[in-house]
Amino acid sequence: MDAIKDFVTFEVLVRALLVVITTAVLYARIRKENRMPPGPMGIPLLGYLPFKGKRPALTYFNLSKKYGPVISLRMANRTVVVLNDFDSIQEALVKNGNVFSGRPTLANVVEAGAGVGIATRTYDGNFKKLRKFALTTLRSFGLGKKSMEEKINEEIRCFMDLLRSKNGESFNEHTDFATSVSNVLCNITLGKRFPYEDKPFRKMVDLVNESFADKSLAFAITLINIFPVMRFIPPISTYYNRFRDGLSYKRGFIRESIKEHKEDFDPDQSRDFIDEYLKEVEKAGENDACFNEDQLTYVLDDLFLAGTETTSSTLRWCVLLFAHRPDIQTKVSDEVQRVIGESQPTMKHRDEMPYTRAFLHEITRHRTLAQLALPHLTTSAIEFRDFHIPKDTVVFPNLWAVHHDPENFEKPEEFDPQRFIDEETGEFRPHKKVIPFSVGPRYCLGEQLAKMELFLFLTNIVQNFVIARDPEKPLPTFETGVIGDAEVPQAYEVKYVSR
C-alpha cells in the first residue's frame, strides 16, 4: 500500500513538473516568436510577481545583468517591460517619447481619474494642452523667478519659527515639512497659505504622505491592479476603501477652495492658478474636455501629489543624513557661513556653493524616491532595438538602476557629494545621468520648484540650526527607507539646536 502511495505521489510530482516545463517552453517560444525583450518566466498564472521582492527596482536591475538592460516580465495577466539603464530610458522616453508616454488604465488610476488631470491622462492632444497651460501659468506666478523665491522664503520664515518653538527638543518633523512645502504650492494655486495647526489642511497633507509612504497600502493597490476582484475581498478591500476615502477627502478640500474662488472671481484680476483656470473655463464654454471644474480639481490634485511628498521627503533624507554624518553637515554649514553669512539665502548664492549643490545632487541620486517613476504605456507598437514591443505594453523606467549603476558612478552605494566636484577647479559638475525627475514629455513639471525649495530650505536650516541626534532615540538607517509608491525615510526624531 505504501508503495502505491509513493508511486501516486511521484506521478503527481512528475506531471506537475511536466506542466511547468511545458509552460516554460511554450512561454519562451511565444516570447521569441513575438520578439519581446528577454526575461525570466516566473510561474504559471502569477508569472514573476512573487519574485520581485521588497525592492523591485533592485530585483529588475540584477535581472538586467543576465538578460540585458531591456527586460520583459510576466506579471499575472500582463507583460511589462523594464528599462534598466540610462541609454534605453533616453531612447524610449526622449527619442521615442510619442510612443512611450501613455499611461496604463490600472484600478488605482481609474479611481484617481483615468483620462483626466495631467498625471494619469494618456498622451494625447488634451494632455499636451493641459500640461502647457499648467507650466505657463505656474511660470506666470513666479515658477523659476525671483517672485517665487520670495514666496518660498515667506514660508521658510514660518518654518524657522516652528523649529525654534521646539527649543532643541527632539521631534519628528515629517508632517511639518510636508505642510510647509505644500503651503508654497497653496500660495501659487489657491492664493493663500494655511497655519500649521489647521486640521483640515494637515489631514490633506497626511493623506498625500500616506499615498506615497504606506507600504501596506501600496501592496494592496498592486494586488488590485493585477487582480481587480481583490478590491472586494478583506483585508485588501479595507485598504482600497481607505485609498478611495483619501481621494474623496482631498478632492473635497480642493473643491471647497474652487467654490470660494468662484464667489469673488474677477477675470480681470487673476490672483492665482485657480483664477487663471476659471478664466479658461469661461472662454471654453460647456463640454470642453480640458477646461471645466472637474478637470481643475484633478489638475490641482496632481500638483499637490507631485509637489508635496517628494520635496519634503528629500529634505527629510537630508536631515537624516546630517544626523548620521556630522562631517558632511559641517562642510555644508561652513560653506553656508562663508558665502551667505547672516544674510537671507537666495538663489544667487547657489553658484558660489559647489559643495551644497553637489550634496543636493547626490541626495537625489543616492535616495531615489520614485525608483520606477510612474508607469508608462506604449501608444502604438514599436520596433525598439532588436525587439518588438506591442501597443499597450506597460513600461517602467528604472531610475534607481541608473543612479546605482557602477558604470555611471564609482561605488554607487556610497554617499559622496565630492563625486560631483571637479578636482582641478573645485566647481560643481552635474551629471547628466542623475534623473530623479525622469525625462521626456512626462518629466515632473515641478522640477524647477523642487530644486529651488530644496536649496532654500536646506540653506536656511543649516544657517540657523545644528542637526543633532537624540541619544535616547536611535536613528533608523540612511541606506533604506519605507517603500510605498516612493522610498521615504523611516520615522525618526532629531534635535534642531539653534546656532
Side-chain angles (χ1 to χ4, degrees):
M1 185 64 71
D2 290 340
I4 294 174
K5 288 182 178 179
D6 290 342
F7 177 77
V8 171
T9 302
F10 177 73
E11 185 180 15
V12 170
L13 289 173
V14 169
R15 288 183 177 182
L17 184 60
L18 286 173
V19 169
V20 171
I21 293 172
T22 302
T23 303
V25 171
L26 289 174
Y27 182 71
R29 183 178 298 171
I30 291 170
R31 189 200 296 261
K32 186 175 181 180
E33 289 173 354
N34 291 339
R35 294 195 295 115
M36 284 289 285
M41 184 198 73
I43 60 176
L45 297 179
L46 295 178
Y48 203 71
L49 182 63
F51 309 109
K52 67 177 188 174
K54 295 180 179 180
R55 302 183 65 82
L58 173 60
T59 300
Y60 302 152
F61 182 48
N62 287 335
L63 288 173
S64 73
K65 297 173 185 176
K66 177 180 179 181
Y67 295 102
V70 182
I71 64 173
S72 65
L73 303 151
R74 191 71 183 170
M75 295 292 183
N77 62 344
R78 187 190 291 267
T79 297
V80 304
V81 169
V82 186
L83 311 173
N84 289 286
D85 73 346
F86 178 82
D87 291 339
S88 63
I89 291 174
Q90 188 79 3
E91 185 177 343
L93 304 193
V94 179
K95 293 181 181 178
N96 294 286
N98 287 337
V99 176
F100 283 90
S101 293
R103 283 282 191 252
T105 304
L106 304 173
N108 62 316
V109 172
V110 170
E111 289 294 341
V116 295
I118 298 175
T120 60
R121 180 184 286 276
T122 193
Y123 188 68
D124 57 12
N126 287 329
F127 165 82
K128 296 174 185 177
K129 186 177 176 181
L130 271 176
R131 185 180 172 90
K132 181 180 179 181
F133 169 82
L135 279 172
T136 301
T137 304
L138 289 173
R139 286 170 183 156
S140 72
F141 285 105
L143 186 63
K145 300 177 183 177
K146 178 72 174 176
S147 56
M148 177 58 66
E149 186 176 327
E150 292 168 355
K151 287 183 174 71
I152 296 171
N153 277 327
E154 176 187 341
E155 185 58 40
I156 287 174
R157 283 190 285 272
C158 297
F159 188 64
M160 293 298 105
D161 289 342
L162 182 144
L163 293 181
R164 291 188 188 95
S165 73
K166 302 300 180 180
N167 296 316
E169 296 294 323
S170 63
F171 76 109
N172 182 340
E173 79 290 78
H174 184 181
T175 300
D176 296 315
F177 257 135
T179 303
S180 192
V181 168
S182 188
N183 254 333
V184 174
L185 204 55
C186 287
N187 212 323
I188 310 166
T189 57
L190 312 184
K192 64 177 180 180
R193 69 176 300 277
F194 294 86
Y196 292 129
E197 62 272 14
D198 187 292
K199 291 183 179 179
F201 179 59
R202 284 180 77 92
K203 181 177 178 179
M204 191 192 77
V205 171
D206 284 337
L207 288 169
V208 172
N209 292 341
E210 182 183 83
S211 65
F212 278 93
D214 190 320
K215 60 182 179 181
S216 297
L217 179 62
F219 175 73
I221 294 298
T222 298
L223 279 181
I224 292 167
N225 282 334
I226 296 168
F227 306 108
V229 71
M230 294 294 291
R231 76 180 78 184
F232 304 112
I233 302 173
I236 301 301
S237 58
T238 302
Y239 287 103
Y240 194 62
N241 291 334
R242 199 174 86 202
F243 170 72
R244 294 179 64 186
D245 291 345
L247 286 174
S248 178
Y249 182 89
K250 287 188 293 177
R251 286 172 186 160
F253 184 93
I254 291 169
R255 288 190 182 101
E256 188 61 33
S257 293
I258 295 172
K259 180 182 176 182
E260 292 174 2
H261 275 67
K262 289 179 67 179
E263 290 173 354
D264 56 359
F265 172 63
D266 181 354
D268 297 322
Q269 296 290 330
S270 288
R271 299 160 293 182
D272 48 42
F273 187 95
I274 291 180
D275 279 351
E276 280 297 308
Y277 203 104
L278 291 176
K279 282 169 65 175
E280 293 298 319
V281 172
E282 281 197 348
K283 293 178 190 176
E286 296 182 1
N287 302 320
D288 187 274
C290 284
F291 295 103
N292 56 66
E293 286 185 35
D294 281 342
Q295 285 287 357
L296 174 54
T297 302
Y298 287 113
V299 168
L300 288 172
D301 193 16
D302 287 342
L303 291 175
F304 278 107
L305 194 64
T308 297
E309 178 61 28
T310 50
T311 301
S312 63
S313 286
T314 301
L315 286 168
R316 291 177 62 234
W317 278 121
C318 292
V319 170
L320 182 59
L321 186 278
F322 282 163
H324 275 292
R325 295 286 304 275
D327 57 318
I328 292 180
Q329 180 179 184
T330 298
K331 289 181 180 179
V332 175
S333 174
D334 287 348
E335 189 171 69
V336 168
Q337 298 304 321
R338 177 177 58 80
V339 175
I340 303 175
E342 298 181 3
S343 303
Q344 174 71 52
T346 69
M347 296 307 292
K348 287 184 178 179
H349 292 121
R350 187 170 59 170
D351 290 341
E352 303 174 60
M353 302 176 69
Y355 190 83
T356 301
R357 295 179 73 186
F359 169 81
L360 288 171
H361 206 52
E362 177 71 340
I363 205 87
T364 56
R365 179 201 71 84
H366 193 276
R367 300 286 86 219
T368 310
L369 292 182
Q371 300 183 349
L372 295 170
L374 286 174
H376 289 239
L377 188 79
T378 52
T379 57
S380 64
I382 184 172
E383 299 298 311
F384 185 75
R385 300 194 170 185
D386 295 327
F387 312 118
H388 176 80
I389 300 179
K391 181 184 178 182
D392 294 332
T393 299
V394 175
V395 179
F396 288 100
N398 193 345
L399 307 184
W400 185 93
V402 175
H403 291 169
H404 289 79
D405 188 342
E407 294 293 321
N408 300 332
F409 306 100
E410 185 178 354
K411 296 180 180 179
E413 71 284 354
E414 294 183 7
F415 186 90
D416 182 17
Q418 206 67 37
R419 71 173 81 241
F420 300 121
I421 295 180
D422 188 283
E423 292 184 0
E424 295 183 4
T425 65
E427 295 179 354
F428 168 62
R429 289 286 181 263
H431 199 295
K432 71 175 184 178
K433 294 183 181 180
V434 177
I435 49 173
F437 301 96
S438 194
V439 293
R442 301 205 84 126
Y443 81 93
C444 178
L445 56 80
E447 178 177 358
Q448 281 185 299
L449 176 61
K451 288 181 176 179
M452 187 178 283
E453 287 177 316
L454 288 173
F455 178 79
L456 292 175
F457 268 89
L458 183 75
T459 51
N460 272 276
I461 290 170
V462 170
Q463 183 186 52
N464 289 277
F465 300 95
V466 175
I467 308 299
R469 63 169 69 204
D470 185 335
E472 296 182 2
K473 297 175 181 177
L475 292 173
T477 177
F478 175 76
E479 303 304 323
T480 57
V482 178
I483 300 180
D485 285 346
E487 184 174 19
V488 302
Q490 299 175 55
Y492 66 82
E493 291 189 15
V494 294
K495 297 179 179 181
Y496 288 78
V497 182
S498 295
R499 291 186 180 276

